[in-house]
Amino acid sequence: MRIYQSEDYKSMSRRAANIISAQVIYKPDCVLGLATGGTPVGTYKQLVDWYKEGDLSFAEVRSVNLDEYLGLSPHHEQSYRYFMQSNLFDHIDIKPENTHVLNGLAKDPQAECAAYNKLIQDLGGIDLQLLGMGHNGHIAFNEPGDDFGLETHLVTLTDRTIDANTRFFDSRDDVPRQALSMGIKNIMNARRILMVVSGEDKAEAVLKAFAGPVTKEVPASVLQLHPDVTLVADKAALSKLVEAGVPVCG
Ligand code: F6R
């Protein structure tokens, strides 16, 4: 496990984008696992900038996203498909048919999940999976207590996640109660994992995930068992980990 400490959100984003662009340069047709949420926005912005400057091409890249709200159409402004289009896909040369996000309008969610597992397999697996982390240690929509052996599945959101995501909707009532999400097993099968975390409010979750016991109560703690994990975080997010004496790279 490598832990990189960045001064602030901007430098954290730049470093994460550097790691993703290195992956794309080394393997132009790589499979990127992508995340939504507030944290990776700066990373995507940096990648778009480098694409526009001609430093990077996504022409052969394939992508699979972690999750999607159940019941939201791809055109809904809070759907994760919409997020990916507006933050990344619409601004780079990735082929639309090579981008994959779970279908929130799937009539048969179980079949959608099974098809997504097969898709990941057919793509040859994920080369680099980008992750954010929730305050309770969730990754994708894998909440505390969820089984580590799950693949893509239908999830009922916890109250805490609904609260955290309310900021993106008009009201709490508008936040979908269910989602489709890759499981921990899909994430752990990725060849490399890159997690981005920012802010003092995540410091406790970072401490538990990376210096605490591996437990289902802190889903991200499972990453301690993965052979190739890079955590890129700002000083604030790493504050408690550093206090606890865990070595980090500057
Ligand atoms: C997003 C996702 C979520 C977020 C997490 C952190 O695809 O799967 O697990 O990574 O909720 O979100 P932010 O970055 O908004 O704090």
mmCIF file of all heavy atoms in Angstrom, residues 87-130:
data_model
loop_
_atom_site.group_PDB
_atom_site.id
_atom_site.type_symbol
_atom_site.label_atom_id
_atom_site.label_comp_id
_atom_site.label_asym_id
_atom_site.label_seq_id
_atom_site.Cartn_x
_atom_site.Cartn_y
_atom_site.Cartn_z
ATOM 1 N N ASN A 87 -18.771 15.563 -16.310
ATOM 2 C CA ASN A 87 -17.456 15.812 -15.704
ATOM 3 C C ASN A 87 -16.286 15.261 -16.503
ATOM 4 O O ASN A 87 -15.159 15.701 -16.337
ATOM 5 C CB ASN A 87 -17.401 15.234 -14.290
ATOM 6 C CG ASN A 87 -18.133 16.112 -13.296
ATOM 7 O OD1 ASN A 87 -17.652 17.181 -12.931
ATOM 8 N ND2 ASN A 87 -19.316 15.683 -12.891
ATOM 9 N N LEU A 88 -16.564 14.242 -17.355
ATOM 10 C CA LEU A 88 -15.433 13.637 -18.062
ATOM 11 C C LEU A 88 -15.743 13.271 -19.521
ATOM 12 O O LEU A 88 -15.142 13.837 -20.434
ATOM 13 C CB LEU A 88 -14.960 12.384 -17.292
ATOM 14 C CG LEU A 88 -13.714 11.688 -17.830
ATOM 15 C CD1 LEU A 88 -12.481 12.597 -17.705
ATOM 16 C CD2 LEU A 88 -13.456 10.367 -17.098
ATOM 17 N N PHE A 89 -16.681 12.364 -19.723
ATOM 18 C CA PHE A 89 -16.824 11.753 -21.052
ATOM 19 C C PHE A 89 -17.085 12.766 -22.172
ATOM 20 O O PHE A 89 -16.566 12.607 -23.277
ATOM 21 C CB PHE A 89 -17.941 10.706 -21.056
ATOM 22 C CG PHE A 89 -17.747 9.551 -20.103
ATOM 23 C CD1 PHE A 89 -18.845 8.849 -19.606
ATOM 24 C CD2 PHE A 89 -16.478 9.152 -19.697
ATOM 25 C CE1 PHE A 89 -18.677 7.781 -18.741
ATOM 26 C CE2 PHE A 89 -16.297 8.086 -18.823
ATOM 27 C CZ PHE A 89 -17.410 7.399 -18.345
ATOM 28 N N ASP A 90 -17.905 13.805 -21.890
ATOM 29 C CA ASP A 90 -18.237 14.769 -22.946
ATOM 30 C C ASP A 90 -17.040 15.632 -23.355
ATOM 31 O O ASP A 90 -17.117 16.349 -24.348
ATOM 32 C CB ASP A 90 -19.362 15.707 -22.479
ATOM 33 C CG ASP A 90 -20.716 15.007 -22.469
ATOM 34 O OD1 ASP A 90 -20.807 13.895 -23.031
ATOM 35 O OD2 ASP A 90 -21.668 15.572 -21.899
ATOM 36 N N HIS A 91 -15.979 15.580 -22.579
ATOM 37 C CA HIS A 91 -14.852 16.496 -22.829
ATOM 38 C C HIS A 91 -13.591 15.803 -23.327
ATOM 39 O O HIS A 91 -12.559 16.445 -23.509
ATOM 40 C CB HIS A 91 -14.521 17.254 -21.533
ATOM 41 C CG HIS A 91 -15.741 17.832 -20.886
ATOM 42 N ND1 HIS A 91 -16.410 18.900 -21.420
ATOM 43 C CD2 HIS A 91 -16.426 17.460 -19.778
ATOM 44 C CE1 HIS A 91 -17.462 19.177 -20.657
ATOM 45 N NE2 HIS A 91 -17.491 18.312 -19.655
ATOM 46 N N ILE A 92 -13.665 14.475 -23.470
ATOM 47 C CA ILE A 92 -12.478 13.737 -23.916
ATOM 48 C C ILE A 92 -12.859 12.862 -25.118
ATOM 49 O O ILE A 92 -14.023 12.829 -25.521
ATOM 50 C CB ILE A 92 -11.881 12.870 -22.770
ATOM 51 C CG1 ILE A 92 -12.916 11.872 -22.239
ATOM 52 C CG2 ILE A 92 -11.336 13.768 -21.654
ATOM 53 C CD1 ILE A 92 -12.373 10.891 -21.204
ATOM 54 N N ASP A 93 -11.871 12.131 -25.659
ATOM 55 C CA ASP A 93 -12.125 11.366 -26.883
ATOM 56 C C ASP A 93 -12.483 9.907 -26.623
ATOM 57 O O ASP A 93 -12.340 9.073 -27.523
ATOM 58 C CB ASP A 93 -10.917 11.470 -27.828
ATOM 59 C CG ASP A 93 -9.639 10.919 -27.204
ATOM 60 O OD1 ASP A 93 -9.627 10.690 -25.958
ATOM 61 O OD2 ASP A 93 -8.649 10.718 -27.932
ATOM 62 N N ILE A 94 -12.967 9.606 -25.419
ATOM 63 C CA ILE A 94 -13.381 8.218 -25.158
ATOM 64 C C ILE A 94 -14.591 7.906 -26.041
ATOM 65 O O ILE A 94 -15.435 8.781 -26.272
ATOM 66 C CB ILE A 94 -13.704 8.003 -23.649
ATOM 67 C CG1 ILE A 94 -13.775 6.508 -23.312
ATOM 68 C CG2 ILE A 94 -14.974 8.738 -23.230
ATOM 69 C CD1 ILE A 94 -13.720 6.210 -21.807
ATOM 70 N N LYS A 95 -14.652 6.684 -26.582
ATOM 71 C CA LYS A 95 -15.780 6.323 -27.458
ATOM 72 C C LYS A 95 -16.998 6.044 -26.574
ATOM 73 O O LYS A 95 -16.896 5.267 -25.618
ATOM 74 C CB LYS A 95 -15.435 5.083 -28.281
ATOM 75 C CG LYS A 95 -14.297 5.282 -29.260
ATOM 76 C CD LYS A 95 -14.156 4.046 -30.154
ATOM 77 C CE LYS A 95 -12.997 4.194 -31.112
ATOM 78 N NZ LYS A 95 -11.716 3.698 -30.582
ATOM 79 N N PRO A 96 -18.154 6.646 -26.913
ATOM 80 C CA PRO A 96 -19.347 6.448 -26.072
ATOM 81 C C PRO A 96 -19.639 4.973 -25.805
ATOM 82 O O PRO A 96 -20.001 4.598 -24.691
ATOM 83 C CB PRO A 96 -20.468 7.099 -26.889
ATOM 84 C CG PRO A 96 -19.772 8.098 -27.751
ATOM 85 C CD PRO A 96 -18.409 7.546 -28.034
ATOM 86 N N GLU A 97 -19.440 4.142 -26.834
ATOM 87 C CA GLU A 97 -19.771 2.716 -26.663
ATOM 88 C C GLU A 97 -18.786 2.001 -25.723
ATOM 89 O O GLU A 97 -19.027 0.880 -25.302
ATOM 90 C CB GLU A 97 -19.847 1.997 -28.027
ATOM 91 C CG GLU A 97 -18.544 1.926 -28.811
ATOM 92 C CD GLU A 97 -18.294 3.147 -29.721
ATOM 93 O OE1 GLU A 97 -18.828 4.237 -29.428
ATOM 94 O OE2 GLU A 97 -17.542 2.993 -30.706
ATOM 95 N N ASN A 98 -17.687 2.656 -25.432
ATOM 96 C CA ASN A 98 -16.713 2.053 -24.506
ATOM 97 C C ASN A 98 -16.925 2.485 -23.055
ATOM 98 O O ASN A 98 -16.157 2.116 -22.180
ATOM 99 C CB ASN A 98 -15.284 2.401 -24.933
ATOM 100 C CG ASN A 98 -14.849 1.567 -26.124
ATOM 101 O OD1 ASN A 98 -15.483 0.561 -26.447
ATOM 102 N ND2 ASN A 98 -13.764 1.986 -26.766
ATOM 103 N N THR A 99 -17.929 3.323 -22.810
ATOM 104 C CA THR A 99 -18.211 3.753 -21.437
ATOM 105 C C THR A 99 -19.409 2.966 -20.910
ATOM 106 O O THR A 99 -20.415 2.832 -21.605
ATOM 107 C CB THR A 99 -18.522 5.261 -21.365
ATOM 108 O OG1 THR A 99 -19.774 5.526 -22.014
ATOM 109 C CG2 THR A 99 -17.414 6.087 -22.012
ATOM 110 N N HIS A 100 -19.270 2.450 -19.720
ATOM 111 C CA HIS A 100 -20.332 1.605 -19.162
ATOM 112 C C HIS A 100 -20.726 2.091 -17.779
ATOM 113 O O HIS A 100 -19.872 2.240 -16.896
ATOM 114 C CB HIS A 100 -19.849 0.158 -19.076
ATOM 115 C CG HIS A 100 -19.363 -0.376 -20.393
ATOM 116 N ND1 HIS A 100 -20.207 -0.776 -21.399
ATOM 117 C CD2 HIS A 100 -18.103 -0.512 -20.880
ATOM 118 C CE1 HIS A 100 -19.494 -1.161 -22.456
ATOM 119 N NE2 HIS A 100 -18.212 -1.002 -22.158
ATOM 120 N N VAL A 101 -22.017 2.364 -17.645
ATOM 121 C CA VAL A 101 -22.583 2.728 -16.337
ATOM 122 C C VAL A 101 -23.829 1.863 -16.184
ATOM 123 O O VAL A 101 -24.580 1.674 -17.152
ATOM 124 C CB VAL A 101 -22.965 4.231 -16.281
ATOM 125 C CG1 VAL A 101 -23.511 4.590 -14.901
ATOM 126 C CG2 VAL A 101 -21.764 5.125 -16.628
ATOM 127 N N LEU A 102 -24.041 1.342 -14.989
ATOM 128 C CA LEU A 102 -25.236 0.517 -14.753
ATOM 129 C C LEU A 102 -26.490 1.305 -15.127
ATOM 130 O O LEU A 102 -26.541 2.533 -14.942
ATOM 131 C CB LEU A 102 -25.289 0.109 -13.276
ATOM 132 C CG LEU A 102 -24.348 -1.039 -12.895
ATOM 133 C CD1 LEU A 102 -23.837 -0.871 -11.475
ATOM 134 C CD2 LEU A 102 -25.043 -2.382 -13.076
ATOM 135 N N ASN A 103 -27.498 0.593 -15.634
ATOM 136 C CA ASN A 103 -28.736 1.247 -16.084
ATOM 137 C C ASN A 103 -29.715 1.387 -14.914
ATOM 138 O O ASN A 103 -30.293 0.406 -14.460
ATOM 139 C CB ASN A 103 -29.347 0.415 -17.222
ATOM 140 C CG ASN A 103 -30.671 0.972 -17.681
ATOM 141 O OD1 ASN A 103 -31.051 2.092 -17.299
ATOM 142 N ND2 ASN A 103 -31.387 0.215 -18.485
ATOM 143 N N GLY A 104 -29.886 2.614 -14.456
ATOM 144 C CA GLY A 104 -30.771 2.869 -13.319
ATOM 145 C C GLY A 104 -32.229 2.596 -13.624
ATOM 146 O O GLY A 104 -33.049 2.509 -12.714
ATOM 147 N N LEU A 105 -32.577 2.472 -14.901
ATOM 148 C CA LEU A 105 -33.970 2.214 -15.266
ATOM 149 C C LEU A 105 -34.200 0.737 -15.611
ATOM 150 O O LEU A 105 -35.280 0.386 -16.122
ATOM 151 C CB LEU A 105 -34.375 3.084 -16.467
ATOM 152 C CG LEU A 105 -34.412 4.593 -16.214
ATOM 153 C CD1 LEU A 105 -34.888 5.320 -17.460
ATOM 154 C CD2 LEU A 105 -35.308 4.922 -15.028
ATOM 155 N N ALA A 106 -33.214 -0.091 -15.328
ATOM 156 C CA ALA A 106 -33.351 -1.518 -15.677
ATOM 157 C C ALA A 106 -34.640 -2.085 -15.081
ATOM 158 O O ALA A 106 -34.912 -1.883 -13.892
ATOM 159 C CB ALA A 106 -32.139 -2.292 -15.160
ATOM 160 N N LYS A 107 -35.405 -2.780 -15.907
ATOM 161 C CA LYS A 107 -36.681 -3.364 -15.434
ATOM 162 C C LYS A 107 -36.394 -4.522 -14.490
ATOM 163 O O LYS A 107 -37.144 -4.778 -13.553
ATOM 164 C CB LYS A 107 -37.497 -3.859 -16.632
ATOM 165 C CG LYS A 107 -38.013 -2.713 -17.487
ATOM 166 C CD LYS A 107 -39.455 -2.935 -17.915
ATOM 167 C CE LYS A 107 -40.092 -1.660 -18.431
ATOM 168 N NZ LYS A 107 -39.298 -0.967 -19.468
ATOM 169 N N ASP A 108 -35.292 -5.227 -14.784
ATOM 170 C CA ASP A 108 -34.932 -6.366 -13.937
ATOM 171 C C ASP A 108 -33.539 -6.078 -13.346
ATOM 172 O O ASP A 108 -32.513 -6.417 -13.944
ATOM 173 C CB ASP A 108 -34.910 -7.636 -14.811
ATOM 174 C CG ASP A 108 -34.576 -8.873 -14.000
ATOM 175 O OD1 ASP A 108 -34.096 -8.741 -12.851
ATOM 176 O OD2 ASP A 108 -34.777 -9.986 -14.531
ATOM 177 N N PRO A 109 -33.502 -5.436 -12.168
ATOM 178 C CA PRO A 109 -32.213 -5.034 -11.594
ATOM 179 C C PRO A 109 -31.244 -6.203 -11.383
ATOM 180 O O PRO A 109 -30.043 -6.053 -11.588
ATOM 181 C CB PRO A 109 -32.595 -4.397 -10.253
ATOM 182 C CG PRO A 109 -34.016 -3.987 -10.401
ATOM 183 C CD PRO A 109 -34.635 -4.970 -11.344
ATOM 184 N N GLN A 110 -31.792 -7.362 -11.010
ATOM 185 C CA GLN A 110 -30.894 -8.519 -10.781
ATOM 186 C C GLN A 110 -30.202 -8.921 -12.080
ATOM 187 O O GLN A 110 -29.010 -9.213 -12.103
ATOM 188 C CB GLN A 110 -31.665 -9.729 -10.233
ATOM 189 C CG GLN A 110 -32.563 -9.436 -9.049
ATOM 190 C CD GLN A 110 -31.784 -9.085 -7.799
ATOM 191 O OE1 GLN A 110 -30.547 -9.151 -7.787
ATOM 192 N NE2 GLN A 110 -32.477 -8.679 -6.747
ATOM 193 N N ALA A 111 -30.996 -8.921 -13.180
ATOM 194 C CA ALA A 111 -30.421 -9.289 -14.480
ATOM 195 C C ALA A 111 -29.387 -8.248 -14.901
ATOM 196 O O ALA A 111 -28.337 -8.586 -15.469
ATOM 197 C CB ALA A 111 -31.523 -9.410 -15.524
ATOM 198 N N GLU A 112 -29.677 -6.974 -14.613
ATOM 199 C CA GLU A 112 -28.725 -5.900 -14.942
ATOM 200 C C GLU A 112 -27.401 -6.132 -14.195
ATOM 201 O O GLU A 112 -26.319 -5.983 -14.758
ATOM 202 C CB GLU A 112 -29.335 -4.541 -14.565
ATOM 203 C CG GLU A 112 -28.419 -3.343 -14.726
ATOM 204 C CD GLU A 112 -28.121 -2.977 -16.182
ATOM 205 O OE1 GLU A 112 -28.751 -3.546 -17.091
ATOM 206 O OE2 GLU A 112 -27.224 -2.131 -16.388
ATOM 207 N N CYS A 113 -27.505 -6.505 -12.929
ATOM 208 C CA CYS A 113 -26.298 -6.747 -12.124
ATOM 209 C C CYS A 113 -25.500 -7.926 -12.672
ATOM 210 O O CYS A 113 -24.273 -7.861 -12.800
ATOM 211 C CB CYS A 113 -26.683 -7.017 -10.666
ATOM 212 S SG CYS A 113 -27.364 -5.568 -9.842
ATOM 213 N N ALA A 114 -26.210 -8.996 -13.013
ATOM 214 C CA ALA A 114 -25.529 -10.193 -13.535
ATOM 215 C C ALA A 114 -24.829 -9.858 -14.854
ATOM 216 O O ALA A 114 -23.686 -10.274 -15.096
ATOM 217 C CB ALA A 114 -26.537 -11.324 -13.721
ATOM 218 N N ALA A 115 -25.516 -9.066 -15.695
ATOM 219 C CA ALA A 115 -24.932 -8.700 -16.992
ATOM 220 C C ALA A 115 -23.693 -7.823 -16.791
ATOM 221 O O ALA A 115 -22.722 -7.914 -17.545
ATOM 222 C CB ALA A 115 -25.974 -7.973 -17.843
ATOM 223 N N TYR A 116 -23.717 -7.002 -15.765
ATOM 224 C CA TYR A 116 -22.579 -6.111 -15.499
ATOM 225 C C TYR A 116 -21.352 -6.919 -15.045
ATOM 226 O O TYR A 116 -20.225 -6.644 -15.466
ATOM 227 C CB TYR A 116 -22.974 -5.093 -14.419
ATOM 228 C CG TYR A 116 -22.235 -3.776 -14.519
ATOM 229 C CD1 TYR A 116 -22.416 -2.923 -15.604
ATOM 230 C CD2 TYR A 116 -21.362 -3.368 -13.507
ATOM 231 C CE1 TYR A 116 -21.744 -1.713 -15.687
ATOM 232 C CE2 TYR A 116 -20.688 -2.155 -13.586
ATOM 233 C CZ TYR A 116 -20.883 -1.332 -14.682
ATOM 234 O OH TYR A 116 -20.218 -0.134 -14.749
ATOM 235 N N ASN A 117 -21.599 -7.925 -14.213
ATOM 236 C CA ASN A 117 -20.480 -8.796 -13.799
ATOM 237 C C ASN A 117 -19.853 -9.465 -15.020
ATOM 238 O O ASN A 117 -18.631 -9.565 -15.129
ATOM 239 C CB ASN A 117 -20.977 -9.878 -12.830
ATOM 240 C CG ASN A 117 -21.369 -9.297 -11.484
ATOM 241 O OD1 ASN A 117 -20.797 -8.293 -11.048
ATOM 242 N ND2 ASN A 117 -22.335 -9.908 -10.833
ATOM 243 N N LYS A 118 -20.718 -9.898 -15.927
ATOM 244 C CA LYS A 118 -20.223 -10.583 -17.138
ATOM 245 C C LYS A 118 -19.458 -9.592 -18.012
ATOM 246 O O LYS A 118 -18.408 -9.909 -18.564
ATOM 247 C CB LYS A 118 -21.391 -11.203 -17.900
ATOM 248 C CG LYS A 118 -20.936 -11.934 -19.143
ATOM 249 C CD LYS A 118 -21.981 -12.858 -19.697
ATOM 250 C CE LYS A 118 -21.461 -13.659 -20.896
ATOM 251 N NZ LYS A 118 -20.649 -12.930 -21.845
ATOM 252 N N LEU A 119 -19.994 -8.370 -18.092
ATOM 253 C CA LEU A 119 -19.334 -7.330 -18.893
ATOM 254 C C LEU A 119 -17.899 -7.098 -18.385
ATOM 255 O O LEU A 119 -16.944 -7.055 -19.171
ATOM 256 C CB LEU A 119 -20.139 -6.029 -18.800
ATOM 257 C CG LEU A 119 -19.426 -4.791 -19.339
ATOM 258 C CD1 LEU A 119 -19.492 -4.751 -20.859
ATOM 259 C CD2 LEU A 119 -20.015 -3.511 -18.763
ATOM 260 N N ILE A 120 -17.760 -6.961 -17.070
ATOM 261 C CA ILE A 120 -16.431 -6.702 -16.497
ATOM 262 C C ILE A 120 -15.485 -7.853 -16.854
ATOM 263 O O ILE A 120 -14.332 -7.640 -17.252
ATOM 264 C CB ILE A 120 -16.516 -6.504 -14.961
ATOM 265 C CG1 ILE A 120 -17.334 -5.252 -14.638
ATOM 266 C CG2 ILE A 120 -15.119 -6.410 -14.347
ATOM 267 C CD1 ILE A 120 -17.699 -5.101 -13.166
ATOM 268 N N GLN A 121 -16.031 -9.059 -16.752
ATOM 269 C CA GLN A 121 -15.235 -10.241 -17.090
ATOM 270 C C GLN A 121 -14.851 -10.226 -18.573
ATOM 271 O O GLN A 121 -13.694 -10.454 -18.933
ATOM 272 C CB GLN A 121 -16.079 -11.467 -16.796
ATOM 273 C CG GLN A 121 -15.276 -12.674 -16.413
ATOM 274 C CD GLN A 121 -16.197 -13.848 -16.097
ATOM 275 O OE1 GLN A 121 -17.424 -13.708 -15.978
ATOM 276 N NE2 GLN A 121 -15.607 -15.007 -15.973
ATOM 277 N N ASP A 122 -15.830 -9.930 -19.426
ATOM 278 C CA ASP A 122 -15.582 -9.919 -20.874
ATOM 279 C C ASP A 122 -14.574 -8.842 -21.281
ATOM 280 O O ASP A 122 -13.862 -8.989 -22.274
ATOM 281 C CB ASP A 122 -16.888 -9.707 -21.657
ATOM 282 C CG ASP A 122 -17.814 -10.915 -21.539
ATOM 283 O OD1 ASP A 122 -17.357 -11.963 -21.055
ATOM 284 O OD2 ASP A 122 -18.997 -10.793 -21.914
ATOM 285 N N LEU A 123 -14.535 -7.770 -20.514
ATOM 286 C CA LEU A 123 -13.563 -6.703 -20.807
ATOM 287 C C LEU A 123 -12.150 -7.109 -20.365
ATOM 288 O O LEU A 123 -11.187 -6.412 -20.633
ATOM 289 C CB LEU A 123 -13.956 -5.408 -20.092
ATOM 290 C CG LEU A 123 -15.198 -4.670 -20.622
ATOM 291 C CD1 LEU A 123 -15.585 -3.535 -19.685
ATOM 292 C CD2 LEU A 123 -14.947 -4.128 -22.035
ATOM 293 N N GLY A 124 -12.064 -8.221 -19.657
ATOM 294 C CA GLY A 124 -10.755 -8.692 -19.191
ATOM 295 C C GLY A 124 -10.419 -8.204 -17.793
ATOM 296 O O GLY A 124 -9.271 -8.275 -17.355
ATOM 297 N N GLY A 125 -11.408 -7.702 -17.078
ATOM 298 C CA GLY A 125 -11.176 -7.209 -15.709
ATOM 299 C C GLY A 125 -10.746 -5.757 -15.705
ATOM 300 O O GLY A 125 -10.445 -5.177 -16.752
ATOM 301 N N ILE A 126 -10.732 -5.187 -14.518
ATOM 302 C CA ILE A 126 -10.436 -3.754 -14.367
ATOM 303 C C ILE A 126 -8.940 -3.574 -14.100
ATOM 304 O O ILE A 126 -8.383 -4.206 -13.207
ATOM 305 C CB ILE A 126 -11.276 -3.176 -13.204
ATOM 306 C CG1 ILE A 126 -12.772 -3.321 -13.525
ATOM 307 C CG2 ILE A 126 -10.892 -1.727 -12.916
ATOM 308 C CD1 ILE A 126 -13.691 -3.082 -12.337
ATOM 309 N N ASP A 127 -8.304 -2.719 -14.897
ATOM 310 C CA ASP A 127 -6.870 -2.465 -14.692
ATOM 311 C C ASP A 127 -6.637 -1.541 -13.509
ATOM 312 O O ASP A 127 -5.746 -1.770 -12.694
ATOM 313 C CB ASP A 127 -6.256 -1.858 -15.960
ATOM 314 C CG ASP A 127 -6.169 -2.874 -17.073
ATOM 315 O OD1 ASP A 127 -5.457 -3.881 -16.876
ATOM 316 O OD2 ASP A 127 -6.819 -2.693 -18.112
ATOM 317 N N LEU A 128 -7.407 -0.463 -13.460
ATOM 318 C CA LEU A 128 -7.233 0.516 -12.371
ATOM 319 C C LEU A 128 -8.615 0.977 -11.918
ATOM 320 O O LEU A 128 -9.388 1.506 -12.725
ATOM 321 C CB LEU A 128 -6.416 1.724 -12.865
ATOM 322 C CG LEU A 128 -6.252 2.876 -11.868
ATOM 323 C CD1 LEU A 128 -5.452 2.444 -10.649
ATOM 324 C CD2 LEU A 128 -5.561 4.076 -12.527
ATOM 325 N N GLN A 129 -8.894 0.765 -10.660
ATOM 326 C CA GLN A 129 -10.196 1.180 -10.116
ATOM 327 C C GLN A 129 -10.012 2.422 -9.247
ATOM 328 O O GLN A 129 -9.285 2.405 -8.256
ATOM 329 C CB GLN A 129 -10.799 0.044 -9.267
ATOM 330 C CG GLN A 129 -12.109 0.412 -8.583
ATOM 331 C CD GLN A 129 -13.238 0.685 -9.575
ATOM 332 O OE1 GLN A 129 -13.570 -0.172 -10.384
ATOM 333 N NE2 GLN A 129 -13.832 1.881 -9.521
ATOM 334 N N LEU A 130 -10.688 3.491 -9.638
ATOM 335 C CA LEU A 130 -10.686 4.717 -8.837
ATOM 336 C C LEU A 130 -11.822 4.631 -7.817
ATOM 337 O O LEU A 130 -12.950 4.255 -8.163
ATOM 338 C CB LEU A 130 -10.911 5.914 -9.772
ATOM 339 C CG LEU A 130 -11.022 7.294 -9.118
ATOM 340 C CD1 LEU A 130 -9.728 7.692 -8.418
ATOM 341 C CD2 LEU A 130 -11.409 8.350 -10.163
#
